[in-house]
């Protein structure tokens, strides 16, 4: 979790509790809180409450108003790219909206990243991409477990990094939050869709072979399949 200053389990728990309350609408925009009251209600020190508020402020969730406490900001101000905000939205009543927005974003950025990676990836990156799809293939019978997830996350992050575009690479945390959220909320099948596994292989080998069109097409198929699968699982 992104924090201001040293983190602790109490600090992280408080940030998550307050963040979810804002995201879920329990503390709606315009509502106010006092740091001293937050500390008293939750049995933490004032310094811990202040640090938690600073993290929420960095996410665009609150303003700290002098002499009037902490005010919840409008939804338009939220840093919707923060992995924590994505995770809280996926865990709350806004899950369907968040899944739709994330799928739309991925449908634009990941095929583009795959296309660029086919041109810009280094030899080491190409080798790692191929090794990652081999790892995914070995674990595809337990696709909702950590080993498959870790390989999947690394592959998608590496594609963004291999694009040669630092702004695309900076969205790695967003894509990771999607993939982790899919597993955490039981939206990932236990046995991987074999078409999706094949498309991951197709992306890796297309990038390794410098075939930009094939890499983009395979990634587009991956994103579409993931969107459809999550929608089915969420029903």
């Amino acid at each position: 979790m992104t924090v201001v200053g040293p983190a602790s389990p109490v600090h992280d728990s408080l940030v998550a509790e307050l963040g979810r309350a804002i995201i879920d609408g329990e503390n709606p925009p315009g509502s106010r809180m006092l740091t001293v009251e937050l500390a008293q209600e939750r049995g933490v020190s004032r310094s811990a409450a202040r640090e938690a508020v600073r993290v929420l402020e960095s996410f665009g969730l609150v303003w700290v108003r002098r002499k009037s406490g902490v005010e919840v900001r409008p939804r338009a101000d939220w840093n919707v790219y923060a992995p924590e905000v994505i995770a809280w939205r996926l865990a709350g009543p806004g899950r369907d909206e968040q899944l739709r927005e994330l799928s739309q974003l991925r449908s634009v950025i990941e095929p583009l990243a795959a296309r660029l990676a086919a041109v810009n990836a280094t030899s080491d990156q190409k080798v790692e991409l191929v090794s990652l799809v081999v790892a995914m293939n070995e674990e595809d019978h337990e696709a909702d477990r950590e080993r498959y997830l870790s390989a999947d996350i690394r592959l998608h992050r590496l594609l963004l990094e291999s694009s040669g575009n630092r702004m695309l690479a900076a969205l790695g945390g967003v894509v990771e939050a999607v993939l982790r959220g899919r597993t955490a909320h039981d939206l990932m099948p236990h046995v991987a869709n074999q078409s999706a596994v094949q498309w991951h292989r197709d992306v890796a080998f297309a990038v390794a072979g410098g075939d930009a069109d094939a890499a983009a097409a395979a990634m587009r198929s991956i994103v579409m399949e993931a969107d459809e699968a999550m929608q089915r699982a969420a029903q």
Side-chain angles (χ1 to χ4, degrees), residues 111 114-116 118-119 202-203 206-207 209-221:
R115 177 179 295 279
L116 292 173
V119 177
D202 291 345
V203 169
V207 170
D211 190 336
D213 288 342
M219 180 54 72
R220 194 172 296 111
S221 295

Side-chain angles (χ1 to χ4, degrees), residues 15-24 27-31 33 52-64 70-80 82 84-86 88-89:
V15 170
E17 180 184 349
L18 295 174
R20 284 195 298 263
I22 293 170
I23 297 295
D24 294 350
N27 293 332
S31 60
M33 302 170 279
V53 166
R54 288 176 186 169
V55 176
L56 298 178
E57 189 175 26
S58 75
F59 295 155
L61 299 181
V62 300
W63 280 298
V64 178
V70 180
E71 181 180 340
V72 177
R73 298 176 68 164
R75 290 185 58 179
D77 293 344
W78 295 355
N79 178 4
V80 293
E84 294 85 350
V85 173
I86 292 172
W88 297 333
R89 291 183 70 193

Side-chain angles (χ1 to χ4, degrees), residues 96-147:
D96 290 346
E97 179 185 37
Q98 175 70 110
L99 287 174
R100 183 179 66 255
E101 291 176 355
L102 288 169
S103 293
Q104 290 169 348
L105 177 65
R106 291 186 67 194
S107 71
V108 174
I109 65 170
E110 293 203 80
L112 173 59
R115 177 179 295 279
L116 292 173
V119 177
N120 296 314
T122 66
S123 297
D124 287 346
Q125 287 170 330
K126 292 176 180 180
V127 169
E128 185 178 359
L129 284 170
V130 172
S131 70
L132 286 166
V133 293
V134 171
M136 290 177 67
N137 187 68
E138 292 174 348
E139 301 295 333
D140 64 3
H141 60 294
E142 291 186 319
D144 56 350
R145 302 293 175 86
E146 182 60 33
R147 283 197 287 188

Side-chain angles (χ1 to χ4, degrees), residues 132 145-155 180:
L132 286 166
R145 302 293 175 86
E146 182 60 33
R147 283 197 287 188
Y148 184 92
L149 175 61
S150 295
D152 194 18
I153 287 171
R154 178 56 188 156
L155 183 140
R180 288 199 177 279

Side-chain angles (χ1 to χ4, degrees), residues 162-180:
S162 302
S163 71
N165 184 311
R166 285 177 293 180
M167 296 187 75
L168 288 176
L171 294 172
V174 173
V175 174
E176 178 172 347
V178 180
L179 298 175
R180 288 199 177 279

